[in-house]
């Protein structure tokens, strides 16, 4: 079956929600309201099968002038093991390069998967002036990136990983 990866449209949002929602019950992904998906639809890529069903998705959320986060990377259970997750992540990394970004962050349980794409466990610190700017954001992803205590209950067991787009990978 042929799978096409393309930018998401508002018409894809309910399909994204149907794909992601079961993974929120197991704690793999954080749940979001439909309105949040609509507000961020331009950040998403979707994988569409021949019947038009959303069978994969992923988002790239810009956090700073040189930094973005991969979010909501998900593949339908029937597509796992086919390489679709890798294709989606590669497409998101290409999108980040196209935006002129230098680094991509993720918060994940899938350390081995992201490691195969050049991500490393995060050990870097943020310059104080940038840290103070990022603290002003209400975005939970930025709080996760900064490793703020207030997000710890939602992120226990997850690993903060980062990849430089200008290194091997």
């Amino acid at each position: 079956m042929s799978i096409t990866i393309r930018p998401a449209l508002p018409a894809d949002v309910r399909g994204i929600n149907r794909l992601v929602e079961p993974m929120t019950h197991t704690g793999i992904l954080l749940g979001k309201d439909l309105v949040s998906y609509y507000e961020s639809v331009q950040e998403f890529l979707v994988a569409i099968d021949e019947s038009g069903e959303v069978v994969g998705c992923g988002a790239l959320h810009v956090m700073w002038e040189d930094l973005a986060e991969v979010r909501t990377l998900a593949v339908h259970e029937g597509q796992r093991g086919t390489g679709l997750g890798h294709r989606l992540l590669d497409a998101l990394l290409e999108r980040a390069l196209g935006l002129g970004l230098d680094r991509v962050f993720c918060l994940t349980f899938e350390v081995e998967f992201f490691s195969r794409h050049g991500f490393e466990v995060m050990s870097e610190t943020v310059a104080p002036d940038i840290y103070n700017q990022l603290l002003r954001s209400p975005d939970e992803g930025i709080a996760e990136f900064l490793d703020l205590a207030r997000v710890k209950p939602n992120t226990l067991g997850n690993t903060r990983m980062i990849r430089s787009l200008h290194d091997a990978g």
Side-chain angles (χ1 to χ4, degrees), residues 16-88:
I16 291 169
N17 188 60
R18 277 191 299 276
L19 177 67
V20 171
E21 199 269 337
M23 294 176 209
T24 67
H25 297 297
T26 59
I28 294 171
L29 294 174
L30 293 177
K32 295 181 184 174
D33 295 321
L34 272 177
V35 69
S36 296
Y37 288 125
Y38 282 112
E39 289 173 342
S40 61
V41 72
Q42 70 278 5
E43 297 179 352
F44 275 86
L45 295 177
V46 288
I48 306 293
D49 69 12
E50 290 172 343
S51 71
E53 180 183 354
V54 175
V55 294
C57 67
L60 185 74
H61 179 77
V62 175
M63 299 169 72
W64 197 249
E65 65 188 2
D66 66 340
L67 176 69
E69 178 185 10
V70 169
R71 293 182 172 179
T72 320
L73 184 60
V75 173
H76 187 277
E77 189 176 313
Q79 292 293 326
R80 294 199 186 122
T82 66
L84 182 56
H86 295 283
R87 286 178 55 204
L88 277 163

Side-chain angles (χ1 to χ4, degrees), residues 27-31 69 71 105-111 139-161:
I28 294 171
L29 294 174
L30 293 177
E69 178 185 10
R71 293 182 172 179
F105 162 78
C106 70
L107 184 70
T108 186
F109 290 109
E110 302 296 333
V111 173
D139 186 87
E140 288 299 306
I142 289 180
E144 293 162 354
F145 175 75
L146 296 175
D147 203 24
L148 300 179
R150 69 179 171 85
V151 295
K152 295 254 190 252
N154 294 331
T155 61
L156 289 177
N158 281 336
T159 300
R160 295 164 59 232
M161 300 185 78

Side-chain angles (χ1 to χ4, degrees), residues 74-133:
V75 173
H76 187 277
E77 189 176 313
Q79 292 293 326
R80 294 199 186 122
T82 66
L84 182 56
H86 295 283
R87 286 178 55 204
L88 277 163
L89 181 55
D90 286 342
L92 291 167
L93 294 174
E94 283 298 317
R95 183 179 259 196
L97 280 168
L99 290 170
L101 301 172
D102 295 327
R103 299 173 299 153
V104 178
F105 162 78
C106 70
L107 184 70
T108 186
F109 290 109
E110 302 296 333
V111 173
E112 185 177 314
F113 172 83
F114 282 95
S115 292
R116 285 183 284 196
H117 288 270
F119 284 77
E120 297 177 350
V121 174
M122 198 170 141
S123 61
E124 69 182 56
T125 58
V126 179
D129 58 328
I130 296 172
Y131 184 91
N132 287 330
Q133 289 291 320

